[in-house]
Protein backbone atom coordinates (compact mmCIF):
# COMPACT_ATOMS: atom_id res chain seq x y z
CA UNK A 1 0.00 0.00 0.00
CA UNK A 2 1.12 3.56 -0.66
CA UNK A 3 2.37 5.40 2.43
CA UNK A 4 -0.39 8.03 2.23
CA UNK A 5 -2.97 5.30 2.86
CA UNK A 6 -1.50 4.61 6.28
CA UNK A 7 -2.54 7.93 7.84
CA UNK A 8 -5.65 10.09 7.89
CA UNK A 9 -4.39 13.45 6.67
CA UNK A 10 -5.24 13.19 2.97
CA UNK A 11 -8.90 14.22 3.27
CA UNK A 12 -8.40 16.98 5.82
CA UNK A 13 -10.04 19.81 3.87
CA UNK A 14 -13.17 17.77 3.23
CA UNK A 15 -13.22 16.77 6.89
CA UNK A 16 -12.88 20.39 8.04
CA UNK A 17 -15.87 21.37 5.92
CA UNK A 18 -17.96 18.49 7.27
CA UNK A 19 -17.01 19.33 10.86
CA UNK A 20 -17.88 23.01 10.51
CA UNK A 21 -21.18 22.17 8.84
CA UNK A 22 -22.20 19.63 11.49
CA UNK A 23 -21.21 21.96 14.35
CA UNK A 24 -22.75 25.16 12.93
CA UNK A 25 -19.22 26.57 12.57
CA UNK A 26 -18.44 26.06 16.26
CA UNK A 27 -15.63 23.51 15.71
CA UNK A 28 -12.74 23.02 13.33
CA UNK A 29 -10.18 20.26 12.70
CA UNK A 30 -6.58 21.45 13.11
CA UNK A 31 -3.15 20.14 14.07
CA UNK A 32 -3.34 18.86 17.63
CA UNK A 33 -1.26 19.63 20.69
CA UNK A 34 -1.63 15.98 21.72
CA UNK A 35 0.61 13.24 20.32
CA UNK A 36 -1.34 10.06 21.02
CA UNK A 37 1.11 7.21 21.55
CA UNK A 38 4.50 6.40 20.15
CA UNK A 39 3.32 5.72 16.60
CA UNK A 40 1.54 8.99 15.85
CA UNK A 41 2.94 10.80 12.80
CA UNK A 42 2.55 14.41 11.73
CA UNK A 43 -0.11 13.28 9.25
CA UNK A 44 -2.19 11.81 12.10
CA UNK A 45 -1.77 14.49 14.78
CA UNK A 46 -5.11 16.25 14.38
CA UNK A 47 -7.73 17.35 16.83
CA UNK A 48 -10.90 19.42 17.10
CA UNK A 49 -10.84 23.02 18.37
CA UNK A 50 -13.51 25.47 19.46
CA UNK A 51 -13.69 28.43 17.07
CA UNK A 52 -16.04 30.32 19.37
CA UNK A 53 -16.71 30.46 23.11
CA UNK A 54 -18.98 27.60 24.26
CA UNK A 55 -21.20 27.44 27.31
CA UNK A 56 -21.53 24.41 29.56
CA UNK A 57 -24.29 22.11 28.30
CA UNK A 58 -24.36 23.43 24.74
CA UNK A 59 -24.67 20.79 22.01
CA UNK A 60 -21.64 21.16 19.74
CA UNK A 61 -22.63 18.66 17.09
CA UNK A 62 -24.67 15.57 16.31
CA UNK A 63 -22.63 13.07 14.29
CA UNK A 64 -24.83 10.88 12.08
CA UNK A 65 -23.57 7.74 10.38
CA UNK A 66 -24.67 4.85 8.15
CA UNK A 67 -21.66 2.80 9.29
CA UNK A 68 -23.74 1.29 12.06
CA UNK A 69 -25.19 -2.17 12.74
CA UNK A 70 -27.43 -3.80 15.31
CA UNK A 71 -28.02 -7.46 16.06
CA UNK A 72 -31.72 -6.71 16.65
CA UNK A 73 -33.64 -7.67 13.50
CA UNK A 74 -36.66 -5.79 14.83
CA UNK A 75 -34.85 -2.45 14.66
CA UNK A 76 -34.17 -0.08 11.78
CA UNK A 77 -30.77 -0.86 10.29
CA UNK A 78 -29.95 2.85 9.90
CA UNK A 79 -31.03 4.57 13.13
CA UNK A 80 -31.81 1.59 15.44
CA UNK A 81 -35.38 2.73 16.16
CA UNK A 82 -37.79 -0.16 16.78
CA UNK A 83 -39.80 -1.07 13.69
CA UNK A 84 -43.54 -0.55 13.94
CA UNK A 85 -46.57 -1.29 11.79
CA UNK A 86 -45.69 1.87 9.84
CA UNK A 87 -42.28 0.52 8.75
CA UNK A 88 -41.27 1.38 5.18
CA UNK A 89 -40.51 -1.31 2.58
CA UNK A 90 -38.09 -0.65 -0.25
CA UNK A 91 -39.57 -1.42 -3.66
CA UNK A 92 -36.55 -3.56 -4.58
CA UNK A 93 -36.85 -6.04 -1.69
CA UNK A 94 -38.58 -6.74 1.61
CA UNK A 95 -36.03 -5.02 3.87
CA UNK A 96 -37.85 -2.66 6.24
CA UNK A 97 -36.83 0.70 7.68
CA UNK A 98 -38.51 2.86 10.29
CA UNK A 99 -39.14 5.79 7.96
CA UNK A 100 -38.91 7.00 4.39
CA UNK A 101 -35.90 9.13 5.40
CA UNK A 102 -33.95 6.10 6.67
CA UNK A 103 -34.96 4.05 3.61
CA UNK A 104 -33.66 6.77 1.28
CA UNK A 105 -30.46 7.10 3.31
CA UNK A 106 -29.84 3.35 3.12
CA UNK A 107 -30.52 3.20 -0.61
CA UNK A 108 -28.22 6.16 -1.24
CA UNK A 109 -25.31 4.84 0.78
CA UNK A 110 -25.15 1.01 1.05
CA UNK A 111 -28.34 -0.87 0.23
CA UNK A 112 -27.90 -1.02 -3.56
CA UNK A 113 -24.62 -2.90 -3.09
CA UNK A 114 -26.27 -5.44 -0.76
CA UNK A 115 -29.78 -5.74 -2.23
CA UNK A 116 -30.77 -9.28 -3.22
CA UNK A 117 -27.48 -10.78 -2.03
CA UNK A 118 -27.15 -13.50 0.59
CA UNK A 119 -24.15 -13.37 2.89
CA UNK A 120 -23.31 -16.70 4.53
CA UNK A 121 -20.49 -16.95 7.01
CA UNK A 122 -19.56 -20.50 8.13
CA UNK A 123 -19.19 -20.72 11.88
CA UNK A 124 -20.14 -17.08 12.51
CA UNK A 125 -23.04 -18.03 14.79
CA UNK A 126 -20.56 -19.90 17.01
CA UNK A 127 -18.53 -16.73 17.63
CA UNK A 128 -19.22 -14.36 20.50
CA UNK A 129 -21.75 -11.60 19.80
CA UNK A 130 -18.93 -9.02 19.78
CA UNK A 131 -17.17 -10.70 16.82
CA UNK A 132 -20.47 -11.26 15.02
CA UNK A 133 -21.39 -7.57 15.13
CA UNK A 134 -17.80 -6.54 14.33
CA UNK A 135 -17.96 -8.57 11.11
CA UNK A 136 -21.37 -7.06 10.36
CA UNK A 137 -19.85 -3.60 10.74
CA UNK A 138 -17.01 -4.51 8.37
CA UNK A 139 -19.61 -5.70 5.84
CA UNK A 140 -21.53 -2.42 6.14
CA UNK A 141 -18.33 -0.41 5.56
CA UNK A 142 -17.43 -2.53 2.54
CA UNK A 143 -20.94 -2.08 1.12
CA UNK A 144 -20.62 1.71 1.49
CA UNK A 145 -17.22 1.61 -0.24
CA UNK A 146 -18.33 -0.69 -3.08
CA UNK A 147 -21.51 1.32 -3.76
CA UNK A 148 -19.57 4.60 -3.87
CA UNK A 149 -16.72 3.16 -5.96
CA UNK A 150 -15.43 5.68 -8.49
CA UNK A 151 -12.14 3.91 -9.11
CA UNK A 152 -10.27 5.20 -6.06
CA UNK A 153 -8.66 3.04 -3.40
CA UNK A 154 -11.00 1.73 -0.64
CA UNK A 155 -8.88 3.33 2.09
CA UNK A 156 -9.59 6.76 0.57
CA UNK A 157 -13.32 6.39 1.22
CA UNK A 158 -14.48 8.72 3.97
CA UNK A 159 -16.09 5.90 5.96
CA UNK A 160 -12.58 4.71 6.97
CA UNK A 161 -10.04 7.28 5.72
CA UNK A 162 -10.18 9.54 8.79
CA UNK A 163 -10.29 6.82 11.46
CA UNK A 164 -7.41 6.73 13.93
CA UNK A 165 -4.91 3.96 13.31
CA UNK A 166 -4.50 1.19 15.87
CA UNK A 167 -1.43 2.02 17.98
CA UNK A 168 -1.27 -0.96 20.32
CA UNK A 169 0.47 -3.15 17.75
CA UNK A 170 -0.95 -5.93 15.58
CA UNK A 171 -3.16 -8.65 16.96
CA UNK A 172 -2.77 -12.25 15.69
CA UNK A 173 -4.38 -13.03 12.35
CA UNK A 174 -7.63 -14.96 12.51
CA UNK A 175 -8.36 -17.28 9.61
CA UNK A 176 -12.09 -16.55 9.43
CA UNK A 177 -12.15 -12.88 10.54
CA UNK A 178 -9.20 -11.79 8.38
CA UNK A 179 -9.47 -14.04 5.32
CA UNK A 180 -12.59 -16.21 4.88
CA UNK A 181 -15.28 -13.71 5.90
CA UNK A 182 -13.84 -10.62 4.11
CA UNK A 183 -13.27 -12.57 0.87
CA UNK A 184 -16.86 -13.85 0.99
CA UNK A 185 -18.16 -10.33 1.67
CA UNK A 186 -16.25 -8.85 -1.26
CA UNK A 187 -17.10 -11.63 -3.70
CA UNK A 188 -20.79 -11.41 -2.81
CA UNK A 189 -20.62 -7.63 -3.27
CA UNK A 190 -19.28 -8.25 -6.79
CA UNK A 191 -15.53 -7.71 -6.24
CA UNK A 192 -13.08 -10.15 -7.83
CA UNK A 193 -10.48 -10.20 -5.08
CA UNK A 194 -7.98 -12.01 -7.32
CA UNK A 195 -8.16 -9.38 -10.07
CA UNK A 196 -8.77 -6.20 -8.05
CA UNK A 197 -5.77 -5.85 -5.74
CA UNK A 198 -7.22 -2.72 -4.17
CA UNK A 199 -9.03 -5.14 -1.87
CA UNK A 200 -6.19 -7.47 -0.92
CA UNK A 201 -5.96 -8.97 2.58
CA UNK A 202 -3.59 -6.29 3.92
CA UNK A 203 -5.99 -3.53 2.83
CA UNK A 204 -8.93 -5.26 4.52
CA UNK A 205 -6.88 -5.92 7.66
CA UNK A 206 -5.88 -2.24 7.81
CA UNK A 207 -9.55 -1.35 7.50
CA UNK A 208 -10.51 -3.95 10.11
CA UNK A 209 -7.99 -2.62 12.64
CA UNK A 210 -9.17 0.97 12.13
CA UNK A 211 -12.74 -0.15 12.71
CA UNK A 212 -11.73 -2.09 15.82
CA UNK A 213 -9.92 0.95 17.22
CA UNK A 214 -12.68 3.51 16.54
CA UNK A 215 -16.01 1.73 16.84
CA UNK A 216 -18.42 2.48 19.61
CA UNK A 217 -21.54 0.65 20.67
CA UNK A 218 -23.75 -0.72 23.37
CA UNK A 219 -24.70 -4.11 24.74
CA UNK A 220 -28.25 -4.06 26.01
CA UNK A 221 -29.63 -6.26 28.75
CA UNK A 222 -31.60 -8.39 26.28
CA UNK A 223 -28.44 -9.47 24.47
CA UNK A 224 -28.74 -6.94 21.63
CA UNK A 225 -25.42 -5.43 20.56
CA UNK A 226 -24.84 -2.35 18.41
CA UNK A 227 -21.64 -1.19 16.73
CA UNK A 228 -21.05 2.10 14.92
CA UNK A 229 -18.39 4.36 13.46
CA UNK A 230 -18.85 8.13 13.73
CA UNK A 231 -16.13 9.82 11.65
CA UNK A 232 -16.41 13.32 13.16
CA UNK A 233 -16.53 11.98 16.71
CA UNK A 234 -13.41 9.91 15.97
CA UNK A 235 -11.43 13.11 15.33
CA UNK A 236 -11.78 14.14 18.98
CA UNK A 237 -8.69 13.32 21.03
CA UNK A 238 -8.70 11.82 24.50
CA UNK A 239 -8.04 13.54 27.79
CA UNK A 240 -8.26 12.06 31.27
CA UNK A 241 -9.99 15.35 32.16
CA UNK A 242 -12.23 15.87 29.09
CA UNK A 243 -14.15 19.07 28.41
CA UNK A 244 -16.88 17.26 26.44
CA UNK A 245 -19.61 14.75 27.25
CA UNK A 246 -21.29 12.55 24.66
CA UNK A 247 -24.33 10.32 24.45
CA UNK A 248 -26.20 8.42 21.78
CA UNK A 249 -29.06 10.52 20.47
CA UNK A 250 -32.32 9.42 22.09
CA UNK A 251 -34.36 9.01 18.89
CA UNK A 252 -31.45 7.89 16.66
CA UNK A 253 -29.06 5.72 18.65
CA UNK A 254 -26.66 5.41 15.72
CA UNK A 255 -25.90 9.13 16.12
CA UNK A 256 -23.58 10.62 18.73
CA UNK A 257 -24.56 13.89 20.42
CA UNK A 258 -21.66 15.89 21.89
CA UNK A 259 -22.05 18.59 24.59
CA UNK A 260 -19.72 20.97 26.38
CA UNK A 261 -18.93 19.58 29.84
CA UNK A 262 -17.90 23.03 31.08
CA UNK A 263 -17.48 26.53 29.69
CA UNK A 264 -14.92 26.37 26.86
CA UNK A 265 -12.94 29.29 25.47
CA UNK A 266 -12.36 29.97 21.80
CA UNK A 267 -9.17 28.21 20.66
CA UNK A 268 -9.29 25.40 23.23
CA UNK A 269 -8.82 21.86 21.96
CA UNK A 270 -11.89 19.70 22.57
CA UNK A 271 -11.49 16.34 24.31
CA UNK A 272 -13.53 13.26 25.11
CA UNK A 273 -12.53 10.40 27.41
CA UNK A 274 -11.83 6.85 26.27
CA UNK A 275 -12.14 5.59 29.85
CA UNK A 276 -15.55 7.01 30.70
CA UNK A 277 -16.65 9.02 33.69
CA UNK A 278 -15.03 6.58 36.10
CA UNK A 279 -11.63 7.36 34.57
CA UNK A 280 -11.66 10.74 36.31
CA UNK A 281 -11.23 8.98 39.63
CA UNK A 282 -8.68 6.34 38.69
CA UNK A 283 -4.97 6.70 39.46
CA UNK A 284 -2.34 7.16 36.77
CA UNK A 285 -1.29 3.50 36.47
CA UNK A 286 -4.85 2.20 36.12
CA UNK A 287 -5.67 4.74 33.40
CA UNK A 288 -2.55 3.78 31.42
CA UNK A 289 -3.50 0.11 31.63
CA UNK A 290 -6.90 0.89 30.11
CA UNK A 291 -5.58 3.30 27.48
CA UNK A 292 -2.78 1.14 26.07
CA UNK A 293 -5.21 -0.29 23.48
CA UNK A 294 -5.55 3.14 21.86
CA UNK A 295 -2.09 4.61 22.23
CA UNK A 296 0.45 1.80 22.51
CA UNK A 297 2.19 4.04 25.09
CA UNK A 298 1.36 6.23 28.09
CA UNK A 299 -1.35 8.82 27.57
CA UNK A 300 0.00 12.24 26.57
CA UNK A 301 -2.81 14.42 27.95
CA UNK A 302 -1.96 17.33 30.25
CA UNK A 303 -3.18 15.48 33.34
CA UNK A 304 -1.06 12.40 32.68
CA UNK A 305 2.01 14.52 32.00
CA UNK A 306 1.54 16.16 35.39
CA UNK A 307 0.92 12.86 37.21
CA UNK A 308 3.48 10.66 35.47
CA UNK A 309 6.25 9.13 37.62
CA UNK A 310 9.06 11.63 37.91
CA UNK A 311 6.92 14.74 37.35
CA UNK A 312 7.86 17.44 39.84
CA UNK A 313 5.56 18.78 42.52
CA UNK A 314 5.32 22.22 40.92
CA UNK A 315 4.06 20.78 37.63
CA UNK A 316 1.54 18.59 39.47
CA UNK A 317 0.27 21.50 41.57
CA UNK A 318 0.11 23.88 38.60
CA UNK A 319 -2.00 21.47 36.58
CA UNK A 320 -4.42 20.62 39.37
CA UNK A 321 -4.90 24.24 40.45
CA UNK A 322 -5.82 25.11 36.87
CA UNK A 323 -8.18 22.17 36.57
CA UNK A 324 -9.93 22.80 39.87
CA UNK A 325 -10.45 26.46 39.04
CA UNK A 326 -12.43 25.42 35.94
CA UNK A 327 -14.57 22.86 37.81
CA UNK A 328 -18.04 23.33 39.22
CA UNK A 329 -18.23 23.31 43.02
CA UNK A 330 -19.54 19.72 42.98
CA UNK A 331 -16.77 18.51 40.68
CA UNK A 332 -14.20 20.41 42.73
CA UNK A 333 -15.28 18.59 45.90
CA UNK A 334 -15.16 15.18 44.19
CA UNK A 335 -11.71 15.89 42.78
CA UNK A 336 -10.38 17.01 46.16
CA UNK A 337 -11.57 13.74 47.69
CA UNK A 338 -9.85 11.83 44.87
CA UNK A 339 -6.59 13.70 45.45
CA UNK A 340 -6.73 13.07 49.18
CA UNK A 341 -7.31 9.34 48.62
CA UNK A 342 -4.79 8.63 45.87
CA UNK A 343 -2.03 11.24 45.97
CA UNK A 344 -0.62 10.93 49.50
CA UNK A 345 2.91 11.29 48.12
CA UNK A 346 2.02 14.85 47.04
CA UNK A 347 1.98 17.51 49.70
CA UNK A 348 0.55 20.51 47.97
CA UNK A 349 -0.99 23.52 49.70
CA UNK A 350 -4.24 23.95 47.77
Amino acid sequence: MASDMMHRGERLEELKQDMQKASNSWCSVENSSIKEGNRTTAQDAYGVYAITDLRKGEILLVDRTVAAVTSDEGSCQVCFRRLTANAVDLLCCNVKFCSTACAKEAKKSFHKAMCGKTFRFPGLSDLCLFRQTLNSLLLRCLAVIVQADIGSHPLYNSVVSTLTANRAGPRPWRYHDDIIYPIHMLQTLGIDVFADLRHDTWVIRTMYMRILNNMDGEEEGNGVRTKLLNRLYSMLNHSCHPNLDWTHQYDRRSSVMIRAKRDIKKGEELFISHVGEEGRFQPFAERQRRLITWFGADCGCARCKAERPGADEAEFARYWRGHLSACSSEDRSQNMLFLAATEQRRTVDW
Side-chain angles (χ1 to χ4, degrees), residues 2 4 12 40 45-46 65 83 92 96 107 110 113 132 134 146 156 179 227 242 258 271 294 307 333 345-347:
D4 64 351
L12 186 60
T40 305
Y46 295 107
T65 184
L83 297 176
C92 55
K96 296 180 182 295
K107 198 167 184 177
F110 66 86
Q132 291 180 39
L134 176 57
V146 169
Y156 288 142
I179 300 173
K227 289 295 174 191
I258 301 168
F271 295 104
W294 281 277
E307 293 181 2
S333 297
R345 68 184 178 86
R346 312 276 188 174
T347 54

Side-chain angles (χ1 to χ4, degrees), residues 160-173:
V160 293
S161 65
T162 57
L163 299 180
T164 310
N166 183 285
R167 309 206 182 284
R171 64 157 179 77
W173 282 72

Side-chain angles (χ1 to χ4, degrees), residues 235-275:
M235 294 302 298
L236 293 160
N237 286 324
H238 162 83
S239 171
C240 292
H241 273 152
N243 50 16
L244 301 179
D245 277 328
W246 66 271
T247 58
H248 295 290
Q249 197 172 12
Y250 174 73
D251 60 344
R252 185 185 169 110
R253 290 185 295 118
S254 62
S255 296
V256 170
M257 183 166 61
I258 301 168
R259 297 177 182 268
K261 187 178 177 69
R262 58 168 174 79
D263 289 348
I264 297 171
K265 295 180 180 178
K266 176 181 178 180
E268 279 192 62
E269 185 168 358
L270 304 174
F271 295 104
I272 56 170
S273 173
H274 294 333
V275 291

Side-chain angles (χ1 to χ4, degrees), residues 114 130 139 142 163 168 221 233 238 242 244 282 286 299 318 331:
M114 301 180 70
F130 173 85
L139 173 58
L142 288 173
L163 299 180
Y233 167 81
H238 162 83
L244 301 179
Q282 290 178 330
E286 174 63 15
C299 173
R318 185 166 53 250
D331 283 346

Side-chain angles (χ1 to χ4, degrees), residues 118-125 127 131 135-136 138-139 142 171 173-189 191 193-194 199-202 204-205 208:
T118 301
F119 296 87
R120 294 190 177 93
F121 305 108
L124 183 64
S125 60
L127 302 180
R131 286 173 65 187
N135 277 284
S136 295
L138 175 62
L139 173 58
L142 288 173
R171 64 157 179 77
W173 282 72
R174 291 189 174 121
Y175 179 61
H176 284 86
D177 290 337
D178 291 307
I179 300 173
I180 297 299
Y181 296 157
I183 288 177
H184 174 70
M185 293 176 195
L186 289 165
Q187 289 179 325
T188 307
L189 288 169
I191 301 297
V193 296
F194 301 104
H199 299 86
D200 72 16
T201 51
W202 279 106
I204 301 304
R205 181 171 170 83
Y208 189 97

